[in-house]
Amino acid sequence: MAKELEKFKAEAKKLAAGTKKFTTAEGDKLKKRIGISLGNAWEGEDYFRESLAKARKDGVKSEKLADFQKNKHFKDGLVTWNKAVDIHQEEVGAMKGFCADARAHMAKQQALLKDIEKDLKKRGKSSASKKDIEALQSDLEKEIAAVRKASEYEGKLNAAQKLYGANFQKTVDKILKEKAEGHDKKKDATELPQLLVDRNLKKYTNQVGALVKAINTHCVTAIDKAGEDLKAAAPELKAAAAKYKDLKKINDQYQTAKKKFPGAIEDSKDKKKLLATLKKFNDLTAAAERKIRGTTVTIKKAAA
């Protein structure tokens, strides 16, 4: 009967790698990202209203979207807001995918648990493998409970977090029909996209700095650990790569904004500061990539 124990252990080992991905920590991370992206989308909506007010001052009197699309201010506002909504939708999609994958993984765990339970019912008290299989059963039950919690994170999203992007076109139509007086009283009235507004620039500058610092720390730690045990360096490299992914996403957004809104940046009183910050983001991202690549090469050479 020891064959069954080895079989169960092998199947549990196969599932273990996936189990590590479906944690409440990851669920919290995804939920936080959704909160941030929704905030940016709301700010994009404010900017759209400001842009609509500018278009009306330019002489556009229609309530039809097609007529407003001909106006530069309006078009920039709509594109900026739409981009923020798209990013938010991506984050919500990531959460849905995470929860769906967690449920699929849990189904595999439950199938294994069912096989273990069937086996235990057939075993006598004298079975040498019974205690080990019961221990495996207990561990699997705990893992299933943890994955179940992770799979439920989509249900923690409120209506705005779930549906804001889905209602985008309805909101556009609604704003177009609103009274004009309410659209020019928003804060940060500017032709700049919301990513480049001062308060957002400060926020993302802090995030970039923190990510770069974390990447460097993980790389240094990876090399230190590799000196004692090459395998111990792998988690640090993986953590550095995850931080780099977040860093690259921020930089890509800003470099896209630079390409899409050159005129707005050129006309801004903070032009020099904006361009310097965007260059810094790009340079830091490239340096972080080199750091991870160099660290990886160093560790591989040590392993050779």
Side-chain angles (χ1 to χ4, degrees):
M1 298 290 275
K3 287 183 179 179
E4 284 80 2
L5 173 60
E6 293 307 314
K7 176 188 173 186
F8 293 147
K9 279 185 176 180
E11 290 179 15
K13 187 177 180 180
K14 285 181 183 178
L15 290 172
T19 301
K20 291 177 183 177
K21 294 189 291 185
F22 304 115
T23 63
T24 54
E26 184 64 20
D28 284 331
K29 179 182 174 183
L30 290 168
K31 190 170 183 292
K32 183 179 179 181
R33 290 174 70 103
I34 287 171
I36 292 171
S37 65
L38 179 60
N40 290 338
W42 276 334
E43 289 183 347
E45 181 178 335
D46 286 347
Y47 176 56
F48 171 71
R49 292 173 187 273
E50 295 158 12
S51 301
L52 177 58
K54 290 177 186 294
R56 284 185 169 140
K57 286 180 181 178
D58 289 342
V60 183
K61 300 187 183 300
S62 173
E63 288 184 358
K64 294 181 180 179
L65 182 62
D67 293 331
F68 275 103
Q69 287 276 30
K70 300 170 186 176
N71 179 270
K72 178 185 179 298
H73 292 143
F74 178 87
K75 191 173 182 179
D76 284 350
L78 184 60
V79 168
T80 301
W81 181 24
N82 200 1
K83 178 63 176 175
V85 171
D86 285 345
I87 292 171
H88 175 63
Q89 288 282 74
E90 288 172 10
E91 300 292 4
V92 173
M95 173 66 89
K96 289 181 177 179
F98 170 76
C99 291
D101 290 345
R103 289 191 293 271
H105 183 74
M106 188 166 61
K108 294 177 183 178
Q109 291 177 306
Q110 289 169 329
L112 174 58
L113 182 62
K114 189 175 181 180
D115 289 341
I116 289 174
E117 289 171 344
K118 284 181 180 179
D119 180 89
L120 286 173
K121 284 181 180 179
K122 296 185 293 184
R123 283 184 182 274
K125 293 181 180 179
S126 61
S127 171
S129 304
K130 187 173 183 180
K131 284 187 178 180
D132 289 333
I133 294 177
E134 286 176 337
L136 192 63
Q137 177 190 36
S138 178
D139 289 342
L140 190 56
E141 285 172 343
K142 291 174 184 176
E143 290 171 3
I144 289 172
V147 173
R148 178 177 285 108
K149 286 183 179 179
S151 73
E152 293 169 348
Y153 263 78
E154 185 181 346
K156 294 178 183 287
L157 301 180
N158 60 39
Q161 290 170 326
K162 282 184 179 179
L163 302 174
Y164 183 84
N167 293 328
F168 174 69
Q169 192 55 54
K170 287 182 180 179
T171 309
V172 172
D173 295 339
K174 179 183 174 184
I175 292 173
L176 286 175
K177 294 176 182 177
E178 289 175 353
K179 291 183 179 179
E181 307 88 68
H183 295 153
D184 57 359
K185 296 178 182 178
K186 298 292 181 182
K187 294 179 180 179
D188 293 325
T190 172
E191 291 184 19
L192 286 172
Q194 284 295 304
L195 275 174
L196 300 179
V197 171
D198 191 53
R199 69 176 184 277
N200 285 330
L201 200 61
K202 286 180 180 177
K203 178 178 74 174
Y204 283 109
T205 296
N206 290 335
Q207 286 186 23
V208 165
L211 288 168
V212 169
K213 184 177 179 180
I215 290 167
N216 287 332
T217 299
H218 284 305
C219 286
V220 170
T221 305
I223 290 177
D224 288 344
K225 287 185 175 181
E228 299 176 6
D229 181 3
L230 288 170
K231 289 183 179 179
E236 296 295 335
L237 286 175
K238 186 176 180 181
K243 295 292 183 184
Y244 174 74
K245 186 177 180 181
D246 290 339
L247 174 62
K248 187 175 185 301
K249 187 167 186 177
I250 292 173
N251 185 53
D252 285 349
Q253 289 177 16
Y254 272 97
Q255 300 311 318
T256 298
K258 181 181 177 182
K259 289 178 182 177
K260 284 191 173 182
F261 304 98
I265 294 174
E266 183 67 29
D267 295 340
S268 171
K269 60 182 178 63
D270 295 322
K271 174 188 170 184
K272 287 185 178 179
K273 176 185 173 183
L274 286 171
L275 291 176
T277 302
L278 295 182
K279 184 179 184 303
K280 184 179 179 181
F281 283 3
N282 214 31
D283 291 346
L284 287 172
T285 303
E289 184 183 16
R290 289 196 299 272
K291 182 76 173 178
I292 294 172
R293 189 167 62 244
T295 301
T296 303
V297 169
T298 299
I299 292 173
K300 282 184 178 179
K301 285 183 178 178

